[in-house]
Amino acid sequence: MKGRHETDPKPEVRTSETDGLSGSSGSRISNSFRASGFRFLASSRPLVRALALAAPEWRWMLGGAVLALLTVGVGVALTMTSAFLIATAALRPSIADLRIAVAGVRFFGTSRGVLRYLERLVTHEATFRILARLRTWFCGRLIPLAPARLHAERSGDLLNRVVADVESLEHVYLRLLAPPFVALSAAVFAGAFFGRHDPRMAFAILTGLAIAGAAVPAATRALGRATGLAILGVRSEYQALAIDGVQGLADLVAFGRAAGHRARLDALASDWARLQRRMSTLTGLHEALTGLCAGATVMAILGLGAPMVADGRLGGVTLAVLALGTLAVFEAVAPLPPSFQFLDQAAGAADRLFALADRPPAVAPLSPDARRAAPAPGAIEFDGVTFSHDPADGPVLRGLDLRIEAGARVAIVGPSGAGKTTLSHLLVRFLDPDAGAVRIGGVDLRTLDTDALVGTVTVAPQHPWLCNGTVRDQMRLAREDAGDEALRACARAAGALEWIESLPSGWDTRLGEQGLLLSGGQRRRLALAQALLRDTPVYVFDEPTADLDPESAGRVMEALWSLAGRTVLVITHRLTGLDRADEVAVLSGGRIVERGRHADLLARGGLYRTLHALQRQAETLGTPEA
Amino acid sequence: MKFDRRLLRWTLGARGPLAGAVAGGLVSTLLAVAQATMIARILGAVFLRGARAEATMGDLAWLAAATVLRALAGASGAAAAARAAARVKSSAREALHAHLVRLGPAGLAAERSGELATTLSRGVEALEPFASQFVPQAFLAALAPLAVLAFVIPKDWLSALIFALTGPLIPVFMALIGIAAERRTRTQWLVLGVMGARFLDTLQGLASLRLLGRARSQAREIAEASEEFRRATMSVLRVAFLSSLTLELLAVLSTALVAVVIGVRLLKGGIDFEPALAVLILAPEFYGPLRALGARFHAGVEGAVAASRMSEILDTPPQVRVAAVPAVLPPQAAPPSIRFDDVRFAYDGGARPALLGASFELPAGRITALVGASGSGKTTAARLLLRFLDPTSGRIVADGTDIGPLDPDAWRDRIAWVPQRPHLFHGTLADNLRMARPHASDADLRRAAAAAGLETLLSRLPRGLEAPVGDRGQRLSGGEAQRLALARAFLRDAPIVILDEPTSYLDAESESLVRAAIDRLAAGRTTLLIAHRLNTVRSAAQVVVLDAGRVVEAGPPADLAAHGDGRYAAMLHAFEGATA
């Protein structure tokens, strides 16, 4: 568990949160915060946690922010020096008096570009580093949740969102931390500089900056929030409708609904465009207001400065420098509006991510003194196992008893939804029984974790996953050091060798995005070959013949039963090739209702015989694509 | 960057608002000139002539007016740009929607469907910055500097000369170094996208990886790959950012040069303070639009790329000929008999033949089973009957009427289609059923669901017919989806049924439910069945055996089975052997 502590910043964050609202009156303060409209503070906890995850990169973040500040500062200095140069020159001094100003203009002009360059490099470095950290952290947090806590109905959706959310959090620093830092620091410097000449000028510029940098963005954000939400809604509806329109086009055309669907798409698209237009108009208005603020501030400086120059309290050159400097300082608040707009998105992303990462795993963590080693091979026992995925749906397994001797070859059959896959998940501790116990070689699995168990048990899952690499990479996920001969042998046993070697690049063929280029049958065979490579004492095959035509199915079953000296468990709803099993167990209603050899069960005339007869009727004639 | 002709047309369609956006930007530049003049006058009056504050009030008022007007011009320009973008995107979307429907399901290669969905949503969105930023900025980059120059020339020709000489360098440099660097940067962003996909891939495979004992090491690999990517990208960016450094230096140093030149000439009395200051204030207004174009160049490229992808889709020819004045389908109550008359069809404009002169008959009100290996033309025959495709030659005749000249939608009204696996639309179960008959009552839906053996599903879902299904709703099992397709066909209650039997292996109970429902559905309708099941074929009135696009055998199944050396008999034999 050492690794987990390293990657888990939760305890530290907790303390820092309580520090923020500390003391006995903490909750009252936080209530009054909420009441007084500082809802952001209350809802920003996940954001604070996200920032804490990025915190180890603080050197890069700070470096980037300081460089950004320097870039703005040098820009202001360039404008001010130029103004100084011209105003001084107008007084016709000797050329020597201008020399410093000329050098200043050159220096600031050059360094601004260089600083900007460095700033971009450092900022990107920081962003990539943060992204890597976030990805690794979330991946580590999701591992113990897979599959029981992740593979809900919409897991595809869920994981897609995780990826997108992590990518938006990557910008947390770039958009949420750095711009306010730059703007605030610039405001402090500007206030101090102007204040040296006249406190009223300091007040004017700080007010101008505050309005342009905070009030205007906050107001436009408030005004645009409803539109922003509506855009999100319309966009996701449009996307769903577009996917329906493309993937369901055959259904739509066949039923004469294509024109109607098109009209709905058109209508949604124009709604979407209308909302976006409103949003862009708001953004444009907002830019205009920022310009207005800058102009108004310059006017205030001129209005305040003119009488002072007339009175001799302020140098004429200084007024020119201050007036032009004002225009330049407003550059510091320009990146604030996007960061305001990003706030909601980032908070939402952080919220979703931590809600997921904080889900409790499906099985209890091991005690520190638990065994680490793989269990010795021995009989597998399900002892009065009761399990329900969701208490509302009732138990899937109800006091199931099943003992499988070491080296036995057993088929577990039953209709879909009978809990067959749950059995395989119990064997590798993806799940723990609600009651009863699962043992291998007499050892209760609750004293082991998945990493230890998979050293003994290989589960070939019902829905095989393909990596984003080559066929060889996929196989070697099972055994890193496997030689080509071993790969070939396993592929041959799974009936995959022929097509693998017929592929254009053979073993080096890439599996494409999630291996979608393979047919169901090819996928299945590759996954079986991979499982065979693992060479463990216990094998569990979950629906090994799904997607295979009858002939291939027969051959694959033959190969599975021939695994010598292993305990082989085949979980299937397809009653093909079961005559070679030592025993067939029929699962129904959460219990084993029949056990025996294939021929005996057929002769007995129970549920097995009924299932067999139904399937016999339904066997196929043609050859599905394999 | 090559402009697609359609993009040009869509952009021209929004020329009104685009002109507004450019005008807004231009007026804003002119007002900036006014602002600069006023600021210079006020400072000059106060500083050099020692004017009293009251004397500057008039100029201050003008400055205020220019500032407010500039904000207004900017805002209305932005609003016009937003209008333009909305219009361009709507044109693109409407063209794509219309073409999608014209193309029909057979015109859409399966591998392209994901790409098309992405183009509809994200591709079209790439036109937003193109229309609202790049296009107006391209005009402004040409016009606004000229406006500034027109003002500067009479004030100070030497500064104007510096502007005129350095200004064009910005686009030239952009073209020389910026674009090459941009291309490299983009490649790197693509790699970033791949990294994202890989991350997703790992997350999806977590359960499998845990089973292989590889989850932790895969997580480490993500970290290593990210690290490697960071190093590679940063080395690209170190070079790529040099180009913007060059551009920035060019603009800033030009401004600095103007400042120094003006300063020196002021000193020697070659220019007055006020125009000098005005020119200095205006320098960013001169270089600004040129640099902004550089920043928006990306949007331009992206828009053009997205548009060329849309054009590829829009250039795909539709598969079905729709007659300008479609023939009228005779009214009909009884199921028709249908004849395929020497029908030929080839995909990819003739490159991939699928049917090579197939002739067979579907007897009225009976089941005709099409059998044959995959690629023998079964699916093509069904698509032709549905008019997803039209034959290259030959005819399909229903009760003596050639279906070719008919309006495809009117013809399809007679057909109930049962695909292997129906698409589940985003909506409720009821919505998905009503596809087949929009005005069906809930009672009708329930009856159809019952006939298709869907009651168990209805009772399983807490909200019954109103349960959300599809992308973000309830997942249905293979058997349930098939029964949903059957329920639609029952609702449709059409004289012709086209049924693509499932090839996937359902569990035995689902299998028998589907089986029974198919029998009920086909009763008394002219049914074309793409058959994979022995049972269905045995109960068909007629079997047509296809091989490589030709009919090799046809007749009642019992006759064919008795015909010992026939193809059907051989298939039967193989099957009996495999399951014995």
Side-chain angles (χ1 to χ4, degrees), chain A residues 26-54:
Chain A
S27 70
R28 212 181 322 135
I29 290 175
S30 92
N31 279 339
S32 72
F33 262 137
R34 257 168 239 155
S36 57
F38 282 88
R39 248 175 309 151
F40 168 66
L41 286 179
S43 67
S44 65
R45 261 168 225 198
L47 262 188
V48 174
R49 274 179 80 187
L51 288 174
L53 281 180

PDB file of all heavy atoms in Angstrom, chain A residues 26-54:
ATOM      1  N   GLY A  26     -15.797  27.878  12.505  1.00  0.00           N
ATOM      2  CA  GLY A  26     -15.581  27.537  11.097  1.00  0.00           C
ATOM      3  C   GLY A  26     -16.864  27.390  10.305  1.00  0.00           C
ATOM      4  O   GLY A  26     -17.013  28.003   9.249  1.00  0.00           O
ATOM      5  N   SER A  27     -17.788  26.600  10.854  1.00  0.00           N
ATOM      6  CA  SER A  27     -18.966  26.340  10.045  1.00  0.00           C
ATOM      7  C   SER A  27     -19.821  27.605   9.914  1.00  0.00           C
ATOM      8  O   SER A  27     -20.419  27.842   8.882  1.00  0.00           O
ATOM      9  CB  SER A  27     -19.783  25.208  10.665  1.00  0.00           C
ATOM     10  OG  SER A  27     -20.366  25.664  11.857  1.00  0.00           O
ATOM     11  N   ARG A  28     -19.826  28.418  10.989  1.00  0.00           N
ATOM     12  CA  ARG A  28     -20.609  29.640  10.893  1.00  0.00           C
ATOM     13  C   ARG A  28     -20.025  30.560   9.815  1.00  0.00           C
ATOM     14  O   ARG A  28     -20.736  31.122   9.014  1.00  0.00           O
ATOM     15  CB  ARG A  28     -20.645  30.365  12.237  1.00  0.00           C
ATOM     16  CG  ARG A  28     -21.950  31.117  12.435  1.00  0.00           C
ATOM     17  CD  ARG A  28     -21.969  31.858  13.766  1.00  0.00           C
ATOM     18  NE  ARG A  28     -21.340  31.106  14.837  1.00  0.00           N
ATOM     19  CZ  ARG A  28     -20.484  31.666  15.700  1.00  0.00           C
ATOM     20  NH1 ARG A  28     -20.148  32.941  15.599  1.00  0.00           N
ATOM     21  NH2 ARG A  28     -19.960  30.949  16.673  1.00  0.00           N
ATOM     22  N   ILE A  29     -18.689  30.633   9.814  1.00  0.00           N
ATOM     23  CA  ILE A  29     -18.058  31.478   8.807  1.00  0.00           C
ATOM     24  C   ILE A  29     -18.396  30.973   7.416  1.00  0.00           C
ATOM     25  O   ILE A  29     -18.797  31.727   6.541  1.00  0.00           O
ATOM     26  CB  ILE A  29     -16.524  31.510   8.993  1.00  0.00           C
ATOM     27  CG1 ILE A  29     -16.204  32.274  10.260  1.00  0.00           C
ATOM     28  CG2 ILE A  29     -15.851  32.168   7.804  1.00  0.00           C
ATOM     29  CD1 ILE A  29     -14.750  32.285  10.614  1.00  0.00           C
ATOM     30  N   SER A  30     -18.302  29.644   7.271  1.00  0.00           N
ATOM     31  CA  SER A  30     -18.545  29.140   5.926  1.00  0.00           C
ATOM     32  C   SER A  30     -20.003  29.358   5.533  1.00  0.00           C
ATOM     33  O   SER A  30     -20.298  29.632   4.379  1.00  0.00           O
ATOM     34  CB  SER A  30     -18.145  27.670   5.840  1.00  0.00           C
ATOM     35  OG  SER A  30     -19.235  26.850   6.121  1.00  0.00           O
ATOM     36  N   ASN A  31     -20.892  29.283   6.530  1.00  0.00           N
ATOM     37  CA  ASN A  31     -22.290  29.561   6.213  1.00  0.00           C
ATOM     38  C   ASN A  31     -22.474  30.999   5.763  1.00  0.00           C
ATOM     39  O   ASN A  31     -23.181  31.287   4.811  1.00  0.00           O
ATOM     40  CB  ASN A  31     -23.184  29.316   7.432  1.00  0.00           C
ATOM     41  CG  ASN A  31     -23.485  27.836   7.562  1.00  0.00           C
ATOM     42  OD1 ASN A  31     -23.372  27.121   6.569  1.00  0.00           O
ATOM     43  ND2 ASN A  31     -23.829  27.400   8.762  1.00  0.00           N
ATOM     44  N   SER A  32     -21.809  31.889   6.502  1.00  0.00           N
ATOM     45  CA  SER A  32     -22.010  33.290   6.155  1.00  0.00           C
ATOM     46  C   SER A  32     -21.354  33.583   4.800  1.00  0.00           C
ATOM     47  O   SER A  32     -21.828  34.419   4.049  1.00  0.00           O
ATOM     48  CB  SER A  32     -21.435  34.209   7.238  1.00  0.00           C
ATOM     49  OG  SER A  32     -20.035  34.171   7.195  1.00  0.00           O
ATOM     50  N   PHE A  33     -20.277  32.845   4.516  1.00  0.00           N
ATOM     51  CA  PHE A  33     -19.688  32.985   3.187  1.00  0.00           C
ATOM     52  C   PHE A  33     -20.712  32.655   2.127  1.00  0.00           C
ATOM     53  O   PHE A  33     -20.933  33.389   1.193  1.00  0.00           O
ATOM     54  CB  PHE A  33     -18.518  32.008   3.022  1.00  0.00           C
ATOM     55  CG  PHE A  33     -17.182  32.652   3.264  1.00  0.00           C
ATOM     56  CD1 PHE A  33     -16.210  32.018   4.004  1.00  0.00           C
ATOM     57  CD2 PHE A  33     -16.911  33.907   2.741  1.00  0.00           C
ATOM     58  CE1 PHE A  33     -14.987  32.604   4.212  1.00  0.00           C
ATOM     59  CE2 PHE A  33     -15.684  34.496   2.947  1.00  0.00           C
ATOM     60  CZ  PHE A  33     -14.719  33.849   3.694  1.00  0.00           C
ATOM     61  N   ARG A  34     -21.337  31.506   2.353  1.00  0.00           N
ATOM     62  CA  ARG A  34     -22.316  31.062   1.374  1.00  0.00           C
ATOM     63  C   ARG A  34     -23.455  32.059   1.283  1.00  0.00           C
ATOM     64  O   ARG A  34     -23.862  32.464   0.209  1.00  0.00           O
ATOM     65  CB  ARG A  34     -22.884  29.695   1.764  1.00  0.00           C
ATOM     66  CG  ARG A  34     -22.282  28.589   0.943  1.00  0.00           C
ATOM     67  CD  ARG A  34     -22.621  27.246   1.519  1.00  0.00           C
ATOM     68  NE  ARG A  34     -21.400  26.543   1.855  1.00  0.00           N
ATOM     69  CZ  ARG A  34     -21.316  25.599   2.771  1.00  0.00           C
ATOM     70  NH1 ARG A  34     -22.363  25.255   3.451  1.00  0.00           N
ATOM     71  NH2 ARG A  34     -20.181  25.008   2.997  1.00  0.00           N
ATOM     72  N   ALA A  35     -23.888  32.472   2.463  1.00  0.00           N
ATOM     73  CA  ALA A  35     -25.033  33.377   2.486  1.00  0.00           C
ATOM     74  C   ALA A  35     -24.685  34.674   1.780  1.00  0.00           C
ATOM     75  O   ALA A  35     -25.520  35.261   1.106  1.00  0.00           O
ATOM     76  CB  ALA A  35     -25.443  33.654   3.932  1.00  0.00           C
ATOM     77  N   SER A  36     -23.445  35.120   1.924  1.00  0.00           N
ATOM     78  CA  SER A  36     -23.120  36.407   1.338  1.00  0.00           C
ATOM     79  C   SER A  36     -22.692  36.273  -0.126  1.00  0.00           C
ATOM     80  O   SER A  36     -22.134  37.182  -0.692  1.00  0.00           O
ATOM     81  CB  SER A  36     -22.022  37.087   2.149  1.00  0.00           C
ATOM     82  OG  SER A  36     -20.907  36.229   2.197  1.00  0.00           O
ATOM     83  N   GLY A  37     -22.971  35.122  -0.684  1.00  0.00           N
ATOM     84  CA  GLY A  37     -22.788  35.026  -2.119  1.00  0.00           C
ATOM     85  C   GLY A  37     -21.414  34.542  -2.537  1.00  0.00           C
ATOM     86  O   GLY A  37     -21.116  34.462  -3.715  1.00  0.00           O
ATOM     87  N   PHE A  38     -20.564  34.174  -1.580  1.00  0.00           N
ATOM     88  CA  PHE A  38     -19.252  33.661  -1.966  1.00  0.00           C
ATOM     89  C   PHE A  38     -19.379  32.170  -2.220  1.00  0.00           C
ATOM     90  O   PHE A  38     -18.666  31.364  -1.644  1.00  0.00           O
ATOM     91  CB  PHE A  38     -18.227  33.919  -0.864  1.00  0.00           C
ATOM     92  CG  PHE A  38     -17.747  35.338  -0.855  1.00  0.00           C
ATOM     93  CD1 PHE A  38     -18.417  36.304  -0.132  1.00  0.00           C
ATOM     94  CD2 PHE A  38     -16.631  35.703  -1.575  1.00  0.00           C
ATOM     95  CE1 PHE A  38     -17.984  37.606  -0.128  1.00  0.00           C
ATOM     96  CE2 PHE A  38     -16.195  37.016  -1.575  1.00  0.00           C
ATOM     97  CZ  PHE A  38     -16.869  37.977  -0.844  1.00  0.00           C
ATOM     98  N   ARG A  39     -20.330  31.842  -3.072  1.00  0.00           N
ATOM     99  CA  ARG A  39     -20.569  30.434  -3.296  1.00  0.00           C
ATOM    100  C   ARG A  39     -19.357  29.763  -3.902  1.00  0.00           C
ATOM    101  O   ARG A  39     -19.105  28.602  -3.702  1.00  0.00           O
ATOM    102  CB  ARG A  39     -21.777  30.249  -4.211  1.00  0.00           C
ATOM    103  CG  ARG A  39     -22.938  29.622  -3.490  1.00  0.00           C
ATOM    104  CD  ARG A  39     -24.108  29.583  -4.420  1.00  0.00           C
ATOM    105  NE  ARG A  39     -24.322  30.899  -5.001  1.00  0.00           N
ATOM    106  CZ  ARG A  39     -24.861  31.096  -6.192  1.00  0.00           C
ATOM    107  NH1 ARG A  39     -25.212  30.072  -6.911  1.00  0.00           N
ATOM    108  NH2 ARG A  39     -25.051  32.304  -6.669  1.00  0.00           N
ATOM    109  N   PHE A  40     -18.581  30.573  -4.600  1.00  0.00           N
ATOM    110  CA  PHE A  40     -17.401  30.025  -5.242  1.00  0.00           C
ATOM    111  C   PHE A  40     -16.492  29.323  -4.234  1.00  0.00           C
ATOM    112  O   PHE A  40     -16.031  28.220  -4.458  1.00  0.00           O
ATOM    113  CB  PHE A  40     -16.635  31.127  -5.956  1.00  0.00           C
ATOM    114  CG  PHE A  40     -15.278  30.682  -6.393  1.00  0.00           C
ATOM    115  CD1 PHE A  40     -15.166  29.704  -7.356  1.00  0.00           C
ATOM    116  CD2 PHE A  40     -14.141  31.192  -5.811  1.00  0.00           C
ATOM    117  CE1 PHE A  40     -13.922  29.255  -7.747  1.00  0.00           C
ATOM    118  CE2 PHE A  40     -12.904  30.744  -6.203  1.00  0.00           C
ATOM    119  CZ  PHE A  40     -12.792  29.781  -7.169  1.00  0.00           C
ATOM    120  N   LEU A  41     -16.305  29.982  -3.081  1.00  0.00           N
ATOM    121  CA  LEU A  41     -15.407  29.412  -2.078  1.00  0.00           C
ATOM    122  C   LEU A  41     -15.906  28.050  -1.614  1.00  0.00           C
ATOM    123  O   LEU A  41     -15.129  27.129  -1.399  1.00  0.00           O
ATOM    124  CB  LEU A  41     -15.278  30.355  -0.890  1.00  0.00           C
ATOM    125  CG  LEU A  41     -14.414  31.581  -1.172  1.00  0.00           C
ATOM    126  CD1 LEU A  41     -14.364  32.464   0.060  1.00  0.00           C
ATOM    127  CD2 LEU A  41     -13.014  31.146  -1.554  1.00  0.00           C
ATOM    128  N   ALA A  42     -17.219  27.958  -1.457  1.00  0.00           N
ATOM    129  CA  ALA A  42     -17.780  26.706  -0.971  1.00  0.00           C
ATOM    130  C   ALA A  42     -17.696  25.618  -2.031  1.00  0.00           C
ATOM    131  O   ALA A  42     -17.515  24.449  -1.720  1.00  0.00           O
ATOM    132  CB  ALA A  42     -19.214  26.918  -0.542  1.00  0.00           C
ATOM    133  N   SER A  43     -17.814  26.018  -3.282  1.00  0.00           N
ATOM    134  CA  SER A  43     -17.879  24.993  -4.330  1.00  0.00           C
ATOM    135  C   SER A  43     -16.509  24.709  -4.923  1.00  0.00           C
ATOM    136  O   SER A  43     -16.385  23.947  -5.854  1.00  0.00           O
ATOM    137  CB  SER A  43     -18.827  25.451  -5.439  1.00  0.00           C
ATOM    138  OG  SER A  43     -18.271  26.564  -6.081  1.00  0.00           O
ATOM    139  N   SER A  44     -15.480  25.337  -4.403  1.00  0.00           N
ATOM    140  CA  SER A  44     -14.195  25.224  -5.067  1.00  0.00           C
ATOM    141  C   SER A  44     -13.312  24.152  -4.462  1.00  0.00           C
ATOM    142  O   SER A  44     -12.161  24.025  -4.837  1.00  0.00           O
ATOM    143  CB  SER A  44     -13.466  26.559  -5.004  1.00  0.00           C
ATOM    144  OG  SER A  44     -13.183  26.848  -3.664  1.00  0.00           O
ATOM    145  N   ARG A  45     -13.824  23.384  -3.502  1.00  0.00           N
ATOM    146  CA  ARG A  45     -12.974  22.373  -2.877  1.00  0.00           C
ATOM    147  C   ARG A  45     -12.309  21.438  -3.877  1.00  0.00           C
ATOM    148  O   ARG A  45     -11.108  21.236  -3.810  1.00  0.00           O
ATOM    149  CB  ARG A  45     -13.771  21.567  -1.863  1.00  0.00           C
ATOM    150  CG  ARG A  45     -13.507  22.079  -0.463  1.00  0.00           C
ATOM    151  CD  ARG A  45     -14.481  21.495   0.489  1.00  0.00           C
ATOM    152  NE  ARG A  45     -14.947  22.581   1.324  1.00  0.00           N
ATOM    153  CZ  ARG A  45     -15.547  22.389   2.480  1.00  0.00           C
ATOM    154  NH1 ARG A  45     -15.789  21.175   2.902  1.00  0.00           N
ATOM    155  NH2 ARG A  45     -15.929  23.403   3.196  1.00  0.00           N
ATOM    156  N   PRO A  46     -13.082  20.874  -4.821  1.00  0.00           N
ATOM    157  CA  PRO A  46     -12.418  20.008  -5.801  1.00  0.00           C
ATOM    158  C   PRO A  46     -11.338  20.759  -6.572  1.00  0.00           C
ATOM    159  O   PRO A  46     -10.284  20.192  -6.877  1.00  0.00           O
ATOM    160  CB  PRO A  46     -13.550  19.586  -6.729  1.00  0.00           C
ATOM    161  CG  PRO A  46     -14.785  19.745  -5.923  1.00  0.00           C
ATOM    162  CD  PRO A  46     -14.531  20.892  -5.001  1.00  0.00           C
ATOM    163  N   LEU A  47     -11.588  22.033  -6.854  1.00  0.00           N
ATOM    164  CA  LEU A  47     -10.580  22.812  -7.569  1.00  0.00           C
ATOM    165  C   LEU A  47      -9.321  22.949  -6.740  1.00  0.00           C
ATOM    166  O   LEU A  47      -8.210  22.836  -7.248  1.00  0.00           O
ATOM    167  CB  LEU A  47     -11.124  24.201  -7.878  1.00  0.00           C
ATOM    168  CG  LEU A  47     -11.692  24.430  -9.260  1.00  0.00           C
ATOM    169  CD1 LEU A  47     -12.011  25.901  -9.447  1.00  0.00           C
ATOM    170  CD2 LEU A  47     -10.701  23.978 -10.308  1.00  0.00           C
ATOM    171  N   VAL A  48      -9.517  23.184  -5.438  1.00  0.00           N
ATOM    172  CA  VAL A  48      -8.356  23.296  -4.548  1.00  0.00           C
ATOM    173  C   VAL A  48      -7.581  21.982  -4.553  1.00  0.00           C
ATOM    174  O   VAL A  48      -6.359  21.958  -4.605  1.00  0.00           O
ATOM    175  CB  VAL A  48      -8.815  23.669  -3.122  1.00  0.00           C
ATOM    176  CG1 VAL A  48      -7.640  23.643  -2.167  1.00  0.00           C
ATOM    177  CG2 VAL A  48      -9.447  25.049  -3.131  1.00  0.00           C
ATOM    178  N   ARG A  49      -8.333  20.877  -4.560  1.00  0.00           N
ATOM    179  CA  ARG A  49      -7.658  19.578  -4.606  1.00  0.00           C
ATOM    180  C   ARG A  49      -6.897  19.409  -5.915  1.00  0.00           C
ATOM    181  O   ARG A  49      -5.789  18.878  -5.934  1.00  0.00           O
ATOM    182  CB  ARG A  49      -8.674  18.446  -4.472  1.00  0.00           C
ATOM    183  CG  ARG A  49      -8.990  18.108  -3.034  1.00  0.00           C
ATOM    184  CD  ARG A  49     -10.010  17.003  -2.970  1.00  0.00           C
ATOM    185  NE  ARG A  49      -9.411  15.677  -3.173  1.00  0.00           N
ATOM    186  CZ  ARG A  49     -10.135  14.576  -3.292  1.00  0.00           C
ATOM    187  NH1 ARG A  49     -11.451  14.638  -3.228  1.00  0.00           N
ATOM    188  NH2 ARG A  49      -9.550  13.420  -3.453  1.00  0.00           N
ATOM    189  N   ALA A  50      -7.514  19.857  -6.998  1.00  0.00           N
ATOM    190  CA  ALA A  50      -6.831  19.747  -8.296  1.00  0.00           C
ATOM    191  C   ALA A  50      -5.554  20.563  -8.266  1.00  0.00           C
ATOM    192  O   ALA A  50      -4.503  20.120  -8.760  1.00  0.00           O
ATOM    193  CB  ALA A  50      -7.752  20.230  -9.413  1.00  0.00           C
ATOM    194  N   LEU A  51      -5.630  21.734  -7.678  1.00  0.00           N
ATOM    195  CA  LEU A  51      -4.433  22.572  -7.594  1.00  0.00           C
ATOM    196  C   LEU A  51      -3.384  21.895  -6.724  1.00  0.00           C
ATOM    197  O   LEU A  51      -2.190  21.956  -7.020  1.00  0.00           O
ATOM    198  CB  LEU A  51      -4.792  23.941  -7.032  1.00  0.00           C
ATOM    199  CG  LEU A  51      -5.579  24.823  -7.995  1.00  0.00           C
ATOM    200  CD1 LEU A  51      -6.010  26.099  -7.323  1.00  0.00           C
ATOM    201  CD2 LEU A  51      -4.718  25.140  -9.211  1.00  0.00           C
ATOM    202  N   ALA A  52      -3.854  21.235  -5.660  1.00  0.00           N
ATOM    203  CA  ALA A  52      -2.901  20.549  -4.783  1.00  0.00           C
ATOM    204  C   ALA A  52      -2.167  19.445  -5.556  1.00  0.00           C
ATOM    205  O   ALA A  52      -0.986  19.206  -5.332  1.00  0.00           O
ATOM    206  CB  ALA A  52      -3.626  19.959  -3.579  1.00  0.00           C
ATOM    207  N   LEU A  53      -2.877  18.794  -6.482  1.00  0.00           N
ATOM    208  CA  LEU A  53      -2.220  17.769  -7.296  1.00  0.00           C
ATOM    209  C   LEU A  53      -1.137  18.377  -8.173  1.00  0.00           C
ATOM    210  O   LEU A  53      -0.130  17.742  -8.475  1.00  0.00           O
ATOM    211  CB  LEU A  53      -3.244  17.074  -8.188  1.00  0.00           C
ATOM    212  CG  LEU A  53      -4.122  16.019  -7.542  1.00  0.00           C
ATOM    213  CD1 LEU A  53      -5.069  15.447  -8.574  1.00  0.00           C
ATOM    214  CD2 LEU A  53      -3.261  14.914  -6.972  1.00  0.00           C
ATOM    215  N   ALA A  54      -1.382  19.615  -8.609  1.00  0.00           N
ATOM    216  CA  ALA A  54      -0.411  20.277  -9.486  1.00  0.00           C
ATOM    217  C   ALA A  54       0.707  20.927  -8.687  1.00  0.00           C
ATOM    218  O   ALA A  54       1.741  21.300  -9.245  1.00  0.00           O
ATOM    219  CB  ALA A  54      -1.118  21.320 -10.344  1.00  0.00           C
TER     220      ALA A  54
END
